[in-house]
């Protein structure tokens, strides 16, 4: 298993990164692991004992339980009319579980950016500086905090595409589909500080209000204002959600167009993100570097390795009989050597 630096050395000049939950866990494993979120979650809005659902499925992964509830509702609805109410309640509980997940992340999030040391921000900025474009599947604001530490070296040329609205100063900044040139940071599944206001996509900021970002997010949740947040159970449902939001659609399209090398860090290549993996298979990326954490022979890592190799094989199938020549080379690296937070 090669190191992160060795992988960088063998990559193309254009390097991009796809970040998964492991990136956040590398900073705060006691907060962002599935187990930690489950322990902090308030399940009182559900009509059944949530712990029983998670224990039954032997998981603390919210998305797996959401998927199970939605699948079960379809089965139950095919039974006699008396079961229709149960099916409807399952769907309501699935939606409620998404809100529980958002609240759990917001409530357990570090209160202020100063809770992370400058040395850790420096390590993170050094890690991010390796890449031309950054795509993240995480909902938290750790990446945003790291980028905003502009007094800490190295200097980063990273833009999320948000700017001051044309109508003047406001408590937030906005993203507009025709005014986001230079954007190279994309939240593929949304984030806690991004909101769809209908006529515009808004991003909460500290600089325009003087109010801590986490406090603004929690106040919004208290008012039942939920951020742009893709936590549907299946890949197909996630894709549907993405296509109904201009910001997410643009981010997804940008990911589909990148070429060169893509580094995957902190992501398990799980089936509920197949919509993302398919873009790699069908896209222009020529080298894929997948981070493996721990023993490569562990069952979970074997599944990651197999899925990555399947992407290579499917690319071969796509170019067979065509003039397309951008085959996909797949390599693996020891994720622990990347140490994005030191």
């Amino acid at each position: 298993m090669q190191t992160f630096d060795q992988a960088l050395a063998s990559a193309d000049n254009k390097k991009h990164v796809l970040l998964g939950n492991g990136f956040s866990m590398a900073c705060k494993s006691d907060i962002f692991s599935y187990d930690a979120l489950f322990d902090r979650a308030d399940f009182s809005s559900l009509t059944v004992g949530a712990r029983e659902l998670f224990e039954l499925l032997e998981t603390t992964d919210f998305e797996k339980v959401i998927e199970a509830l939605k699948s079960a509702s379809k089965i139950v609805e095919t039974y006699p009319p008396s079961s229709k109410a149960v099916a409807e309640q399952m769907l309501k509980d699935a939606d409620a579980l998404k809100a529980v997940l958002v609240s759990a992340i917001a409530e357990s999030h570090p209160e202020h950016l100063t809770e992370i040391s400058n040395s850790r921000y420096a390590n993170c900025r050094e890690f991010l500086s390796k890449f031309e474009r950054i795509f993240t599947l995480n909902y938290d604001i750790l990446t945003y905090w790291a980028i905003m530490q502009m007094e800490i070296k190295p200097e980063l040329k990273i833009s999320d595409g948000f700017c001051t609205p044309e109508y003047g100063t406001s408590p937030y900044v906005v993203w507009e589909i025709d005014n986001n040139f230079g954007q190279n940071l994309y939240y593929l599944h949304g984030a806690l500080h991004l909101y769809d206001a209908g006529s515009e996509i808004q991003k909460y900021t500290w600089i325009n209000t003087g109010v801590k970002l986490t406090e603004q997010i929690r106040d919004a949740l208290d008012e039942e204002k939920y951020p742009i947040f893709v936590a549907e159970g299946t890949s197909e449902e996630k894709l549907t959600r993405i296509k109904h939001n201009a910001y997410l659609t643009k981010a997804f399209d940008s990911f589909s167009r990148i070429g060169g090398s893509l580094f995957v860090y902190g992501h398990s290549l799980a089936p509920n993100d197949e919509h993302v993996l398919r873009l790699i298979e069908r896209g222009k990326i020529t080298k894929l570097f997948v981070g493996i954490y721990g023993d490569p022979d562990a069952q979970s890592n074997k599944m990651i390795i197999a899925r990555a190799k399947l992407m290579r094989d499917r690319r071969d199938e796509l170019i067979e009989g065509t003039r397309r020549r951008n085959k996909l080379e797949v390599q693996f690296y020891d994720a622990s050597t990347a140490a994005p937070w030191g």
Side-chain angles (χ1 to χ4, degrees), residues 283-329:
K284 301 175 183 178
I285 290 295
T286 54
K287 290 185 179 181
L288 177 66
F289 297 87
V290 180
I292 300 296
Y293 192 84
D295 183 2
D297 290 326
Q299 186 58 34
S300 57
N301 283 333
K302 284 183 176 180
M303 293 174 67
I304 294 173
I305 292 169
R307 184 62 186 90
K309 290 180 177 178
L310 181 60
M311 280 191 263
R312 176 199 60 199
D313 296 343
R314 285 182 174 173
R315 176 72 69 82
D316 286 344
E317 293 173 3
L318 285 170
I319 65 177
E320 189 175 330
T322 71
R323 294 183 179 180
R324 186 174 174 180
R325 296 180 179 177
N326 56 330
K327 287 194 171 187
L328 182 63
E329 178 185 334

